[in-house]
Amino acid sequence: MKSFIALTDHDAPLSEVISTLQASQSDHQAQRRTLLRALAGAGVMSTPLAGYAACAVIPSETGGPFPGDGTNGANALTQSGIVRSDMRSNFGVYGAAIATGINLTVKLQLVNVDNNCALLPGYGLYLWHCDATGNYSLYGTAANNNFLRGVQAAAASGNVTFTTTFPGAYSGRWPHMHFEIFRSLSAASTGQNAIKTSQLALPDATCREVYTANTAIYPSSLSNLNATPLTRDNVFSNGTTLQTATITGSAAQGYVATLTIGIAAGAGIGIAPSTATNTNAVEFYNTTLGHYVVIGDAGEIATIDAGGAGPGWQRTGVTYAVPTAATTATTDSIPVYRFYGSQSPGPNSHFYTIGESEKAQLIALAAATPATQKRWNFEGVGFRAGAASSTGCTQTTYTVPVYRLYNNGFPTKDSNHRYAVSTTVVNEMIAKGWTLEGVAFCSATQ
């Protein structure tokens, strides 16, 4: 199938497409308004990622009074050196002091509950906890330290790994750790950007083992642990099924804590945009769903190619010339906004628009629609492209129209859109019962 090329090389005269478009435009606009109100329009994506057990969304919890994320006092997230795997020492201008305590390795895996536990590579995670005596760095008696705080980006496996110390138990709380999750590492600059804030509970048996054998390091922890069981803890009293880490190891060799963290990431394959630049958006087709999608992020494209989005996804051969991240500030491109429904209740599909009013309408609809009903969730900018009117391109740099076709899926099936440059493809999709909605955006020639 052809990539973006000059209009004169298209398989059918543009006049035929425009004629079809103009004939259906007024009727379809009325239909479109109805469909949007019913959350009908959508794109595509997200097949289950095989090989993972069922997961659930981890409960949201308070970040506590000592977050160190700029929401209550100091902000460690803006300090040079916060992105690290070993959290035991101070960093930056705070010197090199090391927190005392039994070594603990923390391994966390981020998965997307909206897509059958698909991995979440590229997401940022900020972890922090108290020291052996129950104090938090950057606050109170430990204000001159910034140890036991760290940020990492999840690897391709969805994993982050930190080396730290076993936290103490202080009065009124069960032993725990705090964490915040962000869409990307770059977003982890303030707690206000966090999409999930929660806490990790440490198992009773290990806590007793550590505190009993190391009373000099943890002088008050055992008595505090006995005074505040899980059933009386103000965070964990309602249960810790999804929040209690599994711990192996010993005090001599160090302990390893593992926990799978499920969040409702929304994105169909659960992939956060990478920092890589990309000159081509790529069209994929799913042979099982019969759905199309356009992906503009290089990392996400590579993940789909590698099978990370589940079975059935294959390239159609169509690519779209879009600006790289490095050139967006100097070109006349505009953002192409990306929305996603959900695997359940749907629509299990992506949708793209350059229209500010359409974007605002969908965001407002999502805010007014319960999560148990079909709705479009705003994901951000999928890629950039050229502006377009209903019938053509309006800029000199991006002159190749990309047409949006709709499968009329609502309400009997998942809505899906295809974004096509070839007029032959446009006519083929119309013959299959799809509706031509107009020019979605414009590409440069390749």
Coordinates of all heavy atoms in Angstrom, one line a residue, residues 1-7 9-10 278-283 294-295 301 315 317-324 384 397-402 421 441-446:
M1 N 0.8 -1.2 0.0 CA 0.0 0.0 0.0 C 0.9 1.2 0.0 O 1.9 1.3 0.6 CB -0.9 0.0 1.2 CG -2.0 1.0 1.2 SD -3.1 0.8 2.6 CE -3.9 -0.7 2.2
K2 N 0.5 2.3 -0.7 CA 1.3 3.5 -0.8 C 1.4 4.3 0.4 O 0.5 4.4 1.2 CB 0.8 4.3 -2.0 CG 0.9 3.6 -3.4 CD 0.5 4.6 -4.5 CE 0.6 3.9 -5.8 NZ 0.1 4.8 -6.9
S3 N 2.6 5.0 0.6 CA 2.7 5.9 1.7 C 2.2 7.3 1.1 O 1.7 7.4 0.0 CB 4.2 6.0 2.1 OG 4.6 4.8 2.5
F4 N 2.4 8.3 1.9 CA 2.0 9.7 1.5 C 2.8 10.0 0.2 O 4.0 10.0 0.2 CB 2.3 10.7 2.6 CG 1.1 10.8 3.5 CD1 1.2 10.4 4.8 CD2 -0.1 11.4 3.0 CE1 0.1 10.6 5.6 CE2 -1.1 11.5 3.9 CZ -1.0 11.1 5.2
I5 N 2.1 10.4 -0.8 CA 2.7 10.9 -2.1 C 1.9 12.0 -2.6 O 0.9 12.4 -2.1 CB 2.7 9.7 -3.1 CG1 1.3 9.1 -3.3 CG2 3.7 8.6 -2.7 CD1 1.3 8.0 -4.3
A6 N 2.3 12.6 -3.7 CA 1.6 13.7 -4.3 C 0.2 13.3 -4.7 O 0.0 12.1 -5.1 CB 2.4 14.2 -5.5
L7 N -0.7 14.2 -4.7 CA -2.1 13.9 -5.0 C -2.3 13.4 -6.4 O -3.2 12.6 -6.7 CB -3.0 15.2 -4.7 CG -3.2 15.6 -3.3 CD1 -4.0 16.9 -3.2 CD2 -3.8 14.5 -2.5
D9 N -0.6 11.5 -8.0 CA -0.2 10.1 -8.1 C -1.2 9.1 -7.4 O -1.1 7.9 -7.4 CB 1.1 9.8 -7.5 CG 2.2 10.5 -8.3 OD1 2.1 10.6 -9.5 OD2 3.2 10.9 -7.7
H10 N -2.3 9.7 -6.8 CA -3.3 8.9 -6.1 C -4.0 8.0 -7.1 O -4.0 8.3 -8.3 CB -4.2 9.8 -5.3 CG -3.7 10.2 -4.0 ND1 -4.4 11.0 -3.2 CD2 -2.5 10.0 -3.5 CE1 -3.6 11.3 -2.1 NE2 -2.5 10.7 -2.3
N278 N 10.5 10.9 15.8 CA 10.0 10.0 14.7 C 9.5 10.8 13.6 O 8.8 11.8 13.7 CB 8.9 9.2 15.3 CG 8.5 8.1 14.4 OD1 9.3 7.3 13.9 ND2 7.2 8.0 14.0
T279 N 9.9 10.5 12.4 CA 9.5 11.2 11.2 C 8.3 10.6 10.5 O 7.9 11.2 9.5 CB 10.7 11.3 10.2 OG1 11.2 10.0 9.8 CG2 11.8 12.1 10.8
N280 N 7.9 9.4 10.9 CA 6.8 8.8 10.3 C 5.8 8.2 11.3 O 6.2 7.6 12.2 CB 7.2 7.6 9.4 CG 8.0 8.1 8.2 OD1 7.5 8.9 7.4 ND2 9.2 7.7 8.0
A281 N 4.5 8.5 11.1 CA 3.5 7.8 11.8 C 3.1 6.6 11.0 O 3.2 6.6 9.8 CB 2.2 8.7 12.0
V282 N 2.8 5.5 11.7 CA 2.6 4.2 11.0 C 1.2 3.7 11.3 O 0.7 3.8 12.4 CB 3.7 3.2 11.6 CG1 3.4 1.8 11.0 CG2 5.1 3.7 11.3
E283 N 0.6 3.2 10.2 CA -0.7 2.6 10.4 C -0.6 1.1 10.6 O 0.2 0.4 10.0 CB -1.6 2.8 9.1 CG -3.0 2.2 9.2 CD -3.8 2.3 7.9 OE1 -3.4 1.7 6.9 OE2 -4.8 3.0 7.9
V294 N -3.3 4.5 14.0 CA -2.1 5.3 13.5 C -1.3 5.6 14.8 O -1.9 6.1 15.7 CB -2.5 6.6 12.8 CG1 -1.3 7.3 12.5 CG2 -3.3 6.3 11.5
I295 N 0.0 5.2 14.8 CA 0.8 5.5 15.9 C 2.0 6.4 15.5 O 2.7 6.1 14.5 CB 1.4 4.1 16.4 CG1 0.2 3.2 16.9 CG2 2.3 4.4 17.6 CD1 -0.6 3.8 18.0
I301 N 5.6 2.2 18.4 CA 5.7 1.5 17.2 C 6.5 0.2 17.3 O 6.2 -0.9 16.9 CB 6.2 2.4 16.0 CG1 5.2 3.5 15.7 CG2 6.6 1.5 14.8 CD1 5.8 4.6 14.8
R315 N 1.6 -4.1 10.3 CA 1.6 -2.9 9.6 C 0.9 -3.1 8.3 O 0.9 -4.1 7.6 CB 3.1 -2.5 9.3 CG 3.9 -2.2 10.5 CD 5.2 -1.6 10.0 NE 6.1 -1.3 11.1 CZ 7.0 -0.3 11.1 NH1 7.1 0.5 10.0 NH2 7.8 -0.1 12.2
G317 N 1.5 -1.0 5.7 CA 2.4 -0.5 4.7 C 2.3 1.0 4.5 O 3.1 1.6 3.8
V318 N 1.3 1.6 5.2 CA 1.1 3.0 5.1 C 1.8 3.8 6.2 O 1.8 3.4 7.3 CB -0.4 3.4 5.2 CG1 -0.6 4.9 5.2 CG2 -1.2 2.8 4.0
T319 N 2.5 4.8 5.8 CA 3.2 5.7 6.8 C 2.8 7.1 6.4 O 2.4 7.5 5.3 CB 4.7 5.6 6.7 OG1 5.2 5.9 5.4 CG2 5.1 4.2 7.2
Y320 N 2.9 8.0 7.4 CA 2.5 9.4 7.3 C 3.7 10.3 7.7 O 4.2 10.1 8.8 CB 1.3 9.7 8.2 CG 0.2 8.7 8.0 CD1 0.2 7.5 8.7 CD2 -0.9 8.9 7.1 CE1 -0.9 6.6 8.6 CE2 -1.9 8.0 7.0 CZ -1.9 6.9 7.7 OH -2.9 5.9 7.6
A321 N 4.1 11.2 6.9 CA 5.2 12.1 7.2 C 4.7 13.2 8.2 O 3.9 14.0 7.9 CB 5.7 12.8 5.9
V322 N 5.3 13.1 9.4 CA 5.0 14.0 10.5 C 6.2 14.6 11.0 O 7.3 14.0 10.9 CB 4.2 13.3 11.6 CG1 2.8 12.8 11.1 CG2 5.0 12.2 12.2
P323 N 6.2 15.8 11.6 CA 7.4 16.4 12.1 C 8.0 15.7 13.3 O 7.3 15.0 14.1 CB 7.0 17.8 12.5 CG 5.5 17.7 12.8 CD 5.0 16.6 11.9
T324 N 9.4 15.8 13.4 CA 10.0 15.2 14.6 C 9.9 16.1 15.8 O 9.5 17.3 15.6 CB 11.5 15.1 14.3 OG1 12.1 16.4 14.1 CG2 11.8 14.3 13.0
R384 N 2.1 15.2 15.7 CA 1.7 16.5 15.1 C 1.6 16.3 13.6 O 2.1 15.4 13.0 CB 2.8 17.5 15.4 CG 2.9 17.8 16.9 CD 4.0 18.8 17.2 NE 3.6 20.1 16.8 CZ 3.0 21.0 17.5 NH1 2.6 20.7 18.7 NH2 2.7 22.2 17.0
T397 N 3.4 23.6 4.0 CA 4.3 22.5 4.3 C 3.7 21.1 4.3 O 4.2 20.2 3.8 CB 4.9 22.7 5.7 OG1 5.5 24.0 5.8 CG2 6.0 21.7 6.1
Y398 N 2.4 21.1 4.8 CA 1.7 19.8 4.9 C 0.5 19.9 3.9 O -0.5 20.5 4.1 CB 1.2 19.6 6.3 CG 2.3 19.6 7.3 CD1 2.7 20.8 8.0 CD2 3.1 18.5 7.5 CE1 3.7 20.8 8.9 CE2 4.2 18.5 8.4 CZ 4.5 19.7 9.1 OH 5.6 19.7 9.9
T399 N 0.7 19.2 2.7 CA -0.2 19.4 1.6 C -1.0 18.1 1.2 O -1.8 18.1 0.3 CB 0.5 19.9 0.4 OG1 1.6 18.9 0.0 CG2 1.2 21.2 0.6
V400 N -0.7 17.0 1.9 CA -1.3 15.8 1.6 C -2.5 15.5 2.6 O -2.2 15.3 3.7 CB -0.3 14.6 1.6 CG1 -1.0 13.3 1.2 CG2 0.9 14.9 0.7
P401 N -3.7 15.5 2.1 CA -4.8 15.3 3.0 C -4.9 13.8 3.5 O -4.7 12.9 2.8 CB -6.1 15.6 2.2 CG -5.6 15.4 0.8 CD -4.2 15.7 0.7
V402 N -5.2 13.7 4.8 CA -5.5 12.4 5.4 C -7.0 12.3 5.8 O -7.4 13.1 6.6 CB -4.6 12.1 6.6 CG1 -4.8 10.7 7.2 CG2 -3.1 12.3 6.3
V421 N -4.8 8.0 3.1 CA -4.4 9.0 2.2 C -4.8 8.6 0.7 O -5.0 9.5 -0.1 CB -2.8 9.2 2.3 CG1 -2.1 7.9 2.0 CG2 -2.4 10.3 1.3
F441 N -6.4 15.5 9.0 CA -5.2 16.3 9.2 C -4.4 16.2 7.9 O -4.9 15.5 7.0 CB -4.4 15.9 10.4 CG -4.0 14.4 10.4 CD1 -2.9 13.9 9.8 CD2 -4.8 13.5 11.1 CE1 -2.5 12.6 9.8 CE2 -4.5 12.1 11.1 CZ -3.3 11.7 10.4
C442 N -3.3 16.8 7.8 CA -2.5 16.8 6.6 C -1.1 16.4 6.9 O -0.5 16.7 7.9 CB -2.5 18.2 5.9 SG -4.2 18.6 5.3
S443 N -0.5 15.7 5.9 CA 0.9 15.2 6.0 C 1.7 15.9 5.0 O 1.2 16.5 4.0 CB 0.9 13.7 5.8 OG 2.2 13.3 5.5
A444 N 3.0 15.9 5.2 CA 4.0 16.3 4.2 C 4.2 15.2 3.2 O 3.9 14.0 3.5 CB 5.3 16.7 4.8
T445 N 4.7 15.5 2.0 CA 5.0 14.5 1.1 C 6.3 13.7 1.5 O 7.1 14.3 2.2 CB 5.2 15.0 -0.3 OG1 6.2 16.0 -0.3 CG2 3.9 15.7 -0.8
Q446 N 6.4 12.5 1.1 CA 7.6 11.7 1.5 C 8.4 11.4 0.3 O 7.9 11.4 -0.8 CB 7.1 10.3 2.1 CG 6.6 10.5 3.5 CD 6.2 9.1 4.1 OE1 5.8 8.2 3.4 NE2 6.4 9.0 5.4

